[in-house]
Amino acid sequence: MDNRQSLWTRDFFSICFSSFFIFITFYSLTATLPTFVTDELGGSQQQAGWVLTAFVIAAVIMRPFAGKWMDGPYRYLLVLVATAVFMVCGFIYPMISVFGILLVLRFVQGASFGAATTANGTIVTELIPDNRKGEGMGYFTLAMNLAMVLGPFLGLTIIQNAGFRTLFIVFMAFGVLGMLLSIVVVRGRKSSAKTMTAAKAAPRATAPSPAPKRRLDWRNYIEPKAVPVSLVSMFLAVAYAGILSFVPSYAKEIGLESISSYYFIVYAAMIVLARPFTGKMFDRLHRNYLVYPTLLLYAVGLFVLAMADSAFLFLLSGAIIGLGFGSLFPCLQTIAIQSVPKEKVGLATGTLFIFFDGGIGIGSALLGSVASAANNRTMYLVGLASVLIGALLYFLLMHRDRKPSRQAQPVESA
């Protein structure tokens, strides 16, 4: 008899699709705004690079505050405000005619992105049954993975056939849909909270004790127990930045420009095929049985990419990396939230993304410099070295932690 709780609830669907609309906007803009800066605003390549840098910096700054706020009484207000600001920014893009204003807009939207994604990453952990954490987080992060594939394709197709104004109108629609779905989630969570409060209400109310005064402490913004897995994710993100930013230019360098768009399709296909199995494996086995094989696949995929000299090897690397890193990241996110008490899940989620976003920023600058000084093959070998460092850190910091997870529950079988 299967006693597992339901995963596919209305709120779970809503938060997955809300995240999808946020991430597809992010990835579409990442691929298209550099062209907007150079072609529409007359800016330089250096200025074009700053539109992503400003966004990432703002997201990193916001995440520790968002993680802390998600563990407090204003968590649902944060969800709505962050999503609303992200939506409003979408309405401003068509009016941009000066690079400086675009930079400010990107900083504001980056801050709202950091807050909204941290909030969604926290709330979704409360919607997933304890004995299906790995499976549920796998499906949730699938929204981000699919957006990473569809976003650049959608953005580039629209500007090539209809122009930037049409693209920005599409982003407006995505922002509105994301906002509406966030409202659905918040209303559902508030309703559930009221029901639980009424069920647990004591016959006689007691006066609340006064809240202790809080000192300024970094641990209010960074969760120490989530730092080890977050540090691992940072080194993995360095290599991921090379895939996210430089695969099209690498394909052109090795004479495979005509098939570069298929790389991310293969990547996404492997994620979709593997996700149902890897999530369930994480819930049933010790995490090491999944983390080490996916780390190995990630490293092998980067090596194949660095050595690719044919369409087969180029696309094969996308499949291997999709199976490796695409399965690995939701495991790391689940490890982060299982390492802390429930009241600190928001802080742990924020901590993970601070390090991950930091790795993306470091990787974009570092690997871009390597590619300019040497070539893209060398760049991906440097990315491979970063993954190996991440694997070593996992072994040193986390391998021997065999205690049962705080939220992990045994899965009852027939």
Side-chain angles (χ1 to χ4, degrees):
M1 181 176 179
D2 190 353
N3 294 321
R4 296 186 302 172
Q5 296 173 275
S6 174
L7 172 63
W8 300 104
T9 62
R10 181 196 64 179
D11 288 348
F12 183 73
F13 270 115
S14 297
I15 203 163
C16 285
F17 278 101
S18 176
S19 293
F20 173 77
F21 287 121
I22 290 173
F23 275 106
I24 196 171
T25 300
F26 165 67
Y27 285 114
S28 293
L29 287 172
T30 298
T32 58
L33 277 184
T35 303
F36 179 73
V37 170
T38 55
D39 294 0
E40 301 292 324
L41 302 182
S44 65
Q45 288 290 342
Q46 184 178 15
Q47 287 177 316
W50 273 101
V51 297
L52 177 59
T53 301
F55 190 97
V56 171
I57 289 174
V60 170
I61 291 173
M62 179 56 66
R63 286 198 189 280
F65 297 100
K68 179 177 173 59
W69 293 333
M70 282 304 296
D71 293 328
Y74 302 108
R75 54 187 352 235
Y76 298 123
L77 177 62
L78 174 65
V79 174
L80 296 178
V81 170
T83 312
V85 172
F86 191 87
M87 175 189 69
V88 170
C89 287
F91 282 82
I92 299 176
Y93 278 103
M95 297 180 279
I96 296 295
S97 59
V98 178
F99 175 75
I101 297 177
L102 175 63
L103 208 59
V104 173
L105 177 63
R106 291 293 288 167
F107 190 87
V108 173
Q109 191 173 39
S112 66
F113 175 84
T117 52
T118 300
N120 285 346
T122 302
I123 290 178
V124 75
T125 65
E126 302 167 2
L127 300 175
I128 302 172
D130 285 344
N131 60 355
R132 302 182 74 176
K133 288 295 184 189
E135 181 185 4
M137 291 305 298
Y139 286 121
F140 176 69
T141 55
L142 184 60
M144 179 177 67
N145 296 134
L146 292 178
M148 185 268 288
V149 177
L150 297 176
F153 173 79
L154 176 67
L156 293 172
T157 301
I158 291 177
I159 64 173
Q160 289 169 3
N161 294 279
F164 281 100
R165 183 164 294 276
T166 301
L167 179 68
F168 294 148
I169 291 174
V170 171
F171 290 155
M172 293 179 196
F174 287 170
V176 171
L177 289 172
M179 182 72 207
L180 292 175
L181 290 168
S182 292
I183 292 174
V184 171
V185 173
V186 168
R187 292 186 64 178
R189 297 305 297 156
K190 284 186 174 181
S191 176
S192 298
K194 288 180 180 179
T195 302
M196 293 178 63
T197 300
K200 295 180 180 180
R204 298 178 63 182
T206 58
S209 57
K213 294 183 179 180
R214 295 184 177 181
R215 297 179 299 171
L216 184 62
D217 191 337
W218 66 271
R219 284 168 292 189
N220 292 330
Y221 304 94
I222 300 291
E223 173 49 51
K225 292 182 179 179
V227 167
V229 69
S230 300
L231 191 61
V232 172
S233 76
M234 183 181 74
F235 281 92
L236 304 182
V238 169
Y240 181 62
I243 296 170
L244 182 63
S245 302
F246 302 112
V247 159
S249 61
Y250 179 52
K252 184 177 181 179
E253 178 183 299
I254 60 178
L256 299 174
E257 185 177 9
S258 60
I259 66 166
S260 61
S261 60
Y262 293 101
Y263 185 90
F264 292 109
I265 294 176
V266 173
Y267 178 95
M270 292 307 299
I271 292 174
V272 172
L273 290 173
R275 188 57 51 82
F277 305 103
T278 54
K280 291 178 181 179
M281 286 174 60
F282 187 91
D283 290 330
R284 287 165 170 77
L285 303 173
H286 190 277
R287 65 195 187 199
N288 288 349
Y289 289 103
L290 192 59
V291 170
Y292 285 122
T294 51
L295 277 169
L296 178 61
L297 286 170
Y298 190 17
V300 170
L302 285 166
F303 180 78
V304 173
L305 181 59
M307 298 295 108
D309 57 4
S310 66
F312 173 75
L313 289 177
F314 180 70
L315 296 179
L316 177 64
S317 71
I320 298 173
I321 292 172
L323 184 59
F325 182 72
S327 301
L328 178 59
F329 185 75
C331 296
L332 299 180
Q333 189 170 359
T334 306
I335 291 170
I337 64 175
Q338 289 181 340
S339 67
V340 298
K342 289 185 176 181
E343 65 271 14
K344 291 190 176 182
V345 164
L347 202 57
T349 303
T351 300
L352 179 72
F353 279 105
I354 288 169
F355 280 77
F356 184 79
D357 288 346
I360 292 289
I362 293 170
S364 297
L366 173 64
L367 299 182
S369 299
V370 172
S372 298
N375 53 51
N376 283 300
R377 292 186 188 277
T378 304
M379 175 192 70
Y380 285 118
L381 291 177
V382 172
L384 169 60
S386 182
V387 171
L388 295 178
I389 293 173
L392 178 62
L393 285 174
Y394 181 87
F395 177 78
L396 295 175
L397 300 176
M398 307 183 66
H399 174 80
R400 294 176 178 81
D401 182 10
R402 297 185 175 274
K403 294 183 293 183
S405 300
R406 185 252 327 152
Q407 292 172 325
Q409 301 290 337
V411 178
E412 299 182 19
S413 56

